[in-house]
């Protein structure tokens, strides 16, 4: 349906402008063209037959700055290539480049300024065309796929990928940067990742791309089968990241037809050099994992804010299931889960019985009664010094053992 709409818009623009048009993606692959053929040159004919811009023609176009252009650019004729002059209209949506619309001149006596003067009148149609391109398969383009693979490889410490990143325009030439990891806590999402990892990765990539378009501090996004990874400027704020998470929820509903699960986003500390992206990725991963198992963190968490989970993450997968005698005794006695939730929240709320009672919808006397039961079970005051440290750490370690395993993706 959208492809037909794209073709109809190209044809409509060609009729309005009275010229031959062609539409290509950022990789130079033909997407659509008009039937208006009053002056097709050799380059246009070959392009329509091969569906791909030849290397020599691409080099001529790039020499005139189309890859960086945000406004229409006049590309002069080239007799050696058999190419008439034409105007390149870069198609951008909220700053993201989705393709190019080419308007061919009739002859050498047909100056580019005439085309440039006519373009403002068709701007709404051109903008609609760009929006439709963004809605189709931008995330699956060859160039985008390769760049995302390079970024993810750099986040896993592949030296060649790290070196490749240094020339990226998205890095702005200098750091520092932050890495963010976004994950949906949904059985449907997890099942899709297991059953068809490639399709799940394409969905993650598309959702991340759509959710970050126009969010200026987010420089790049990539998707794996269970999560997406963002490259952000160091100044990125919580409000911008929350906006990305909210848009991810919308995209999940729009693209899968199912309700969105809870999203978590973990953010690294600043990384001054692409060589540090592997460490930054691990920090973002641990922050997202902590947020996944501990809703008290709030959904968007920086690594520095996750507290003891920083240490648990550094321990890898070797967090013991039975590391505290008192905690094991408490778990054995609390089969109905009446005591442990109260104790953990009391620790998290800095000992405020009133806050615990309000959040769990209990009377304060009920909270005190449960603390008394805990004392009798473990034979010690749960709010005292080292006992509190032991039990609080054991509670967080129990949560940590249920974290999503991104490393296995």
């Amino acid at each position: 349906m959208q492809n037909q709409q794209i073709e109809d818009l190209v044809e409509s623009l060609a009729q309005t402008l009275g010229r031959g048009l062609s539409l290509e993606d950022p990789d130079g692959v033909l997407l659509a063209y008009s039937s208006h053929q009053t002056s097709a040159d050799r380059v246009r004919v070959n392009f329509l037959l091969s569906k791909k811009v030849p290397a020599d023609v691409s080099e001529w176009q790039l020499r005139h700055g189309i890859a960086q252009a945000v406004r229409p650019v006049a590309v002069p004729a080239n007799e050696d290539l058999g190419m008439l002059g034409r105007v390149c209209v870069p198609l951008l949506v909220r700053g993201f480049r989705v393709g190019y619309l080419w308007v061919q001149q009739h002859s050498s006596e047909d100056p580019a300024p005439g085309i440039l003067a006519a373009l403002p009148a068709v701007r709404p149609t051109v903008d609609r065309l760009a929006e439709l391109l963004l809605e189709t398969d931008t995330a699956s383009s060859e160039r985008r796929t390769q760049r995302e693979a390079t970024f993810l490889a750099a986040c896993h410490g592949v030296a060649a990928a790290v070196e490749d990143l240094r020339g990226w325009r998205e890095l702005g030439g200098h750091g520092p940067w932050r890495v963010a990891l976004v994950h949906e806590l949904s059985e449907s999402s997890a099942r899709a990742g297991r059953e068809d990892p490639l399709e799940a990765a394409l969905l993650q990539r598309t959702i991340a791309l759509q959710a970050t378009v126009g969010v200026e501090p987010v420089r790049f996004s990539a998707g794996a089968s269970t999560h997406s990874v963002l490259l952000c400027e160091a100044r990125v704020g919580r409000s911008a990241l929350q906006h990305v998470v909210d848009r991810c929820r919308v995209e999940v509903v729009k693209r899968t037809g199912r309700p969105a699960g809870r999203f978590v986003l973990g953010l690294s500390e600043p990384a001054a050099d692409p060589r540090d992206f592997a460490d930054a990725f691990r920090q973002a991963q641990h922050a997202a994992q902590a947020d996944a198992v501990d809703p008290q963190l709030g959904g968007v968490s920086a690594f520095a804010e996750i507290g003891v989970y920083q240490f648990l993450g550094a321990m890898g997968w070797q967090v013991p299931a039975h590391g505290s005698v008192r905690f094991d005794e408490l778990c054995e006695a609390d089969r109905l889960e009446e005591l442990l939730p109260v104790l953990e929240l009391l620790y998290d709320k800095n000992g405020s019985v009133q806050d615990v009672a309000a959040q769990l919808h209990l009377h304060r006397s009920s909270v005190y009664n449960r603390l008394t039961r805990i004392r009798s079970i473990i034979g010690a005051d749960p709010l005292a010094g080292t006992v509190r440290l032991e039990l609080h750490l054991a509670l967080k370690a129990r949560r940590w053992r249920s974290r999503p395993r991104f490393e296995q993706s």
Side-chain angles (χ1 to χ4, degrees), residues 19 39 77 84-86 104-112:
R19 299 170 187 278
S39 56
L84 290 170
R86 57 223 325 117
Q104 185 174 312
Q105 295 168 229
H106 292 310
S107 67
S108 57
E109 275 77 49
D110 178 23

Side-chain angles (χ1 to χ4, degrees), residues 7-252:
E7 291 173 5
D8 291 345
L9 283 178
V10 170
E11 196 65 48
S12 173
L13 285 167
Q15 294 296 327
T16 302
L17 295 172
R19 299 170 187 278
L21 269 61
S22 60
L23 177 69
E24 64 186 56
D25 72 5
D27 298 324
V29 176
L30 178 67
L31 299 176
Y33 62 93
S34 68
S35 59
H36 197 286
Q37 296 280 0
T38 58
S39 56
D41 59 14
R42 189 169 79 239
V43 166
R44 176 175 170 83
V45 172
N46 290 339
F47 180 41
L48 300 188
L49 291 174
S50 67
K51 314 297 184 186
K52 176 76 174 179
V53 177
D56 53 355
V57 175
S58 177
E59 192 277 332
W60 177 252
Q61 295 170 347
L62 292 173
R63 190 187 303 177
H64 292 87
I66 68 167
Q68 293 77 38
V70 296
R71 295 181 178 84
V73 175
V75 177
N78 186 315
E79 291 185 11
D80 293 337
L81 296 174
M83 176 180 173
L84 290 170
R86 57 223 325 117
V87 170
C88 173
V89 183
L91 301 176
L92 300 100
V93 181
R94 298 185 292 278
F96 182 77
R97 193 175 305 272
V98 295
Y100 301 99
L101 180 69
W102 289 92
V103 186
Q104 185 174 312
Q105 295 168 229
H106 292 310
S107 67
S108 57
E109 275 77 49
D110 178 23
I115 298 175
L116 295 171
L119 288 174
V122 295
R123 177 65 183 271
T125 307
V126 171
D127 288 345
R128 176 58 183 153
L129 182 61
E131 291 282 355
L132 284 174
L133 285 180
L134 187 66
E135 289 293 319
T136 53
D137 64 346
T138 304
S140 63
S141 72
E142 180 182 353
R143 176 175 177 270
R144 179 78 191 185
T145 301
Q146 291 175 344
R147 285 164 62 79
E148 289 194 26
T150 298
F151 175 57
L152 291 177
C155 287
H156 285 88
V158 178
V162 170
E163 288 306 310
D164 194 15
L165 283 187
R166 294 188 184 281
W168 280 25
R169 180 167 42 87
E170 287 84 356
L171 268 65
H174 57 83
W177 306 272
R178 294 178 188 258
V179 173
L181 185 146
V182 186
H183 174 66
E184 182 190 8
L185 300 171
S186 163
E187 178 53 36
S188 297
S189 176
R191 184 169 58 251
R194 293 190 298 267
E195 294 175 355
D196 192 339
L198 292 178
E199 184 176 337
L202 178 58
L203 177 63
Q204 291 287 341
R205 295 168 54 212
T206 303
I207 289 172
L209 177 59
Q210 298 284 341
T212 56
V213 167
V215 182
E216 184 181 346
V218 180
R219 308 290 296 183
F220 192 73
S221 68
S225 61
T226 60
H227 59 278
S228 56
V229 185
L230 313 180
L231 177 65
C232 308
E233 297 176 6
R235 65 182 177 88
V236 67
R238 183 178 296 272
S239 60
L241 295 174
Q242 186 61 58
H243 181 54
V244 169
V245 169
D246 292 342
R247 287 170 65 173
C248 284
R249 293 193 188 97
V250 173
E251 289 297 325
V252 165

